[in-house]
Amino acid sequence: MVNLLDQQPLVIDGGMATELSKQGIDTTSPLWSAMAAAKFPNAVQGVHRQYFEAGASVATTDSFVASIPTLVNAGMSLTGARHLVRATVKLAKRARDAYRADSGSERPLLIAGGVGPYAEYSDDPSKSVGNYALTIPEYQRFHRERMQLLAAAGVDLFAFETQPNFTETQALTELLECEFPDKTAWLSFSVDDQGNLWDGTPLWEAVSYFEPHPQIEAIGVNCLAPDDILDMVATIKQVTTKPIIVYPNNGAVFDAETQTWSVDDQTPTLASLAPQWLAAGVSIIGGCCGTTPDDIHSLARVVNKTSVK
């Protein structure tokens, strides 16, 4: 069983779709970057390799959207969907093996199986922010086969990430404990600017619920603006002794008129804010949407100079 406690402070990777887009690969479909694992496997493997070279010790598989129901709903065959999920692990592992062989690096390098929320299954905007209510068995049926495939393909742990719905995280954790006793996970919530999950559950309440669950090794938030991290960490630290994980986006703001994202010149970088986060109790840091290997490289230089007691 992987133990993140043995590797702190720890740098994880950053965004996948941003780097693929730079190569001309379309990531604007509902499946985001997931289809690239089937159509452009060398590109996906290359991005994983870039993050290892930048100093990340964890690669998250390109499976955030790739639940089996989502892939089949998008028109893939069941066989093709299963193959794609397995491929996301193989590509990350190949990148790790190639990096180790070429660099001689001896630092532990982990593969985290990305598990995004049910929200990614629906085109309904209300559901994208956690406004949905399935039963725990229904959530588990939705997530089970992806987790089975990721585990069988050899992930070291799961990444339950960008989770907006408290009941769904309960279902994922129960599934983890009942059917994957040799695996652990980090759990990262998606929150609004009031510090609530998008289904209305206060962040402190959600975090405290998972404190007695040992297979949830780390807990935190992701895909929010870098400026918002510190307040969320203060809330999390009050109710957990687990390692705290944060991986914000790049702080981009959406312009509804031009339908484009832009980053203000005054938006602080991950590296500039990392010392504050570490001092506040964060021990695992990376990047989400819009972040790049350059961001992770700068972040790693800061984190690796800082020890967490």
Side-chain angles (χ1 to χ4, degrees):
M1 186 178 291
V2 171
N3 188 350
L4 293 176
L5 293 171
D6 293 337
Q7 303 176 55
Q8 295 180 51
L10 184 69
V11 176
I12 64 174
D13 58 4
M16 172 64 72
T18 301
E19 293 305 299
L20 293 175
S21 296
K22 290 178 182 178
Q23 301 177 46
I25 297 171
D26 183 12
T27 60
T28 61
S29 77
L31 293 179
W32 292 7
S33 62
M35 285 303 296
K39 295 184 176 180
F40 305 98
N42 291 340
V44 173
Q45 182 175 326
V47 174
H48 286 310
R49 169 71 181 260
Q50 285 181 277
Y51 280 118
F52 284 132
E53 291 174 344
S57 293
V58 182
T60 307
T61 60
D62 189 20
S63 53
F64 175 80
V65 181
S67 72
I68 298 302
T70 302
L71 296 173
V72 171
N73 190 52
M76 294 189 71
S77 68
L78 182 57
T79 298
R82 290 167 173 166
H83 176 78
L84 187 147
V85 175
R86 288 190 291 263
T88 65
V89 183
K90 292 178 182 178
L91 294 172
K93 291 172 73 174
R94 287 174 185 167
R96 177 176 64 182
D97 293 345
Y99 170 72
R100 278 177 170 164
D102 293 342
S103 68
S105 174
E106 296 182 355
R107 77 178 190 273
L109 302 175
L110 305 176
I111 307 298
V115 178
Y118 175 82
E120 302 306 327
Y121 178 67
S122 174
D123 292 331
D124 181 348
S126 69
K127 292 186 177 181
S128 70
V129 291
N131 185 24
Y132 49 86
L134 278 67
T135 66
I136 282 180
E138 286 173 333
Y139 284 124
Q140 291 174 343
R141 282 195 293 272
F142 177 78
H143 288 291
R144 179 176 283 109
E145 188 168 9
R146 171 174 44 182
M147 289 176 62
Q148 290 173 337
L149 292 164
L150 291 171
V155 298
D156 296 300
L157 72 163
F158 294 111
F160 298 154
E161 54 185 352
T162 328
Q163 295 292 330
N165 186 292
F166 178 57
T167 303
E168 185 171 9
T169 58
Q170 291 177 298
L172 280 166
T173 301
E174 183 180 300
L175 185 61
L176 175 72
E177 293 170 341
C178 293
E179 300 185 23
F180 303 90
D182 62 338
K183 296 294 182 188
T184 61
W186 78 60
L187 173 55
S188 183
F189 294 107
S190 176
V191 296
D192 63 22
D193 56 8
Q194 301 301 310
N196 298 320
L197 276 62
W198 288 98
D199 70 350
T201 305
L203 178 59
W204 68 265
E205 182 179 321
V207 171
S208 62
Y209 176 87
F210 294 100
E211 178 67 9
H213 293 263
Q215 283 177 254
I216 299 297
E217 280 203 284
I219 197 161
V221 291
N222 74 287
C223 211
L224 66 166
D227 280 338
D228 295 332
I229 290 290
L230 209 55
D231 287 344
M232 302 305 164
V233 171
T235 296
I236 294 167
K237 190 175 181 180
Q238 291 178 17
V239 290
T240 189
T241 60
K242 294 180 185 292
I244 297 174
I245 181 170
V246 300
Y247 47 118
N249 56 42
N250 68 343
V253 176
F254 186 67
D255 186 323
E257 290 188 9
T258 63
Q259 294 291 299
T260 58
W261 293 87
S262 61
V263 180
D264 190 287
D265 291 340
Q266 303 304 311
T267 300
T269 64
L270 305 188
S272 69
L273 293 175
Q276 300 175 40
W277 300 339
L278 291 165
V282 173
S283 52
I284 306 170
I285 308 177
C288 199
C289 296
T291 59
T292 69
D294 286 343
D295 293 320
I296 298 304
H297 177 68
S298 298
L299 176 64
R301 293 181 64 182
V302 172
V303 171
N304 292 335
K305 291 180 181 178
T306 308
S307 61
V308 175
K309 296 180 181 180

